[in-house]
Amino acid sequence: MTLLITDGWMLPCMSKQLTGMDCPGCGIQRSISFLLQGHLTDSFLMYPGLFPGIFLFFFLIFDWFTEVKYSEQIKLWATLITIGTIITSFLVKMAIH
């Protein structure tokens, strides 16, 4: 599994290559790699939006096949939390750098 952490398979960020600045999606590939290796803390610290995004993804699939009470509200809140986490972590990253 350590092969996953190498940069060889990861796609480069065009925004970072053109502007030299991270984009709101920078870090997600490395975060997924950490997650697949079982490094949950490192994965969260690399890209906090991955975890609510995973919840949203699996809830959408689950909701597709079953009837879930309040599914529209759950989808709305999961989407807002995911987007909010991505934007907040991006702003914190920009403030630190």
Side-chain angles (χ1 to χ4, degrees):
M1 279 293 219
T2 55
L3 179 63
L4 293 175
I5 197 61
T6 63
D7 292 339
W9 67 273
M10 295 184 191
L11 299 172
C13 177
M14 291 303 284
S15 175
K16 190 166 188 167
Q17 286 183 338
L18 294 174
T19 65
M21 295 174 47
D22 286 352
C23 73
C26 280
I28 194 166
Q29 293 178 93
R30 196 170 307 279
S31 179
I32 291 169
S33 181
F34 281 136
L35 184 63
L36 292 174
Q37 294 179 51
H39 303 292
L40 299 178
T41 305
D42 292 334
S43 177
F44 177 79
L45 293 173
M46 181 60 63
Y47 195 80
L50 181 64
F51 290 90
I54 289 172
F55 169 79
L56 176 61
F57 176 75
F58 283 109
F59 181 78
L60 290 172
I61 292 172
F62 181 74
D63 185 51
W64 192 357
F65 294 107
T66 63
E67 280 292 317
V68 178
K69 191 174 183 180
Y70 305 115
S71 69
E72 295 304 313
Q73 290 88 349
I74 294 170
K75 287 187 272 190
L76 174 65
W77 280 105
T79 301
L80 291 175
I81 290 169
T82 301
I83 293 170
T85 304
I86 291 168
I87 291 171
T88 302
S89 64
F90 174 70
L91 293 174
V92 167
K93 189 187 322 182
M94 291 296 102
I96 291 173
H97 289 107

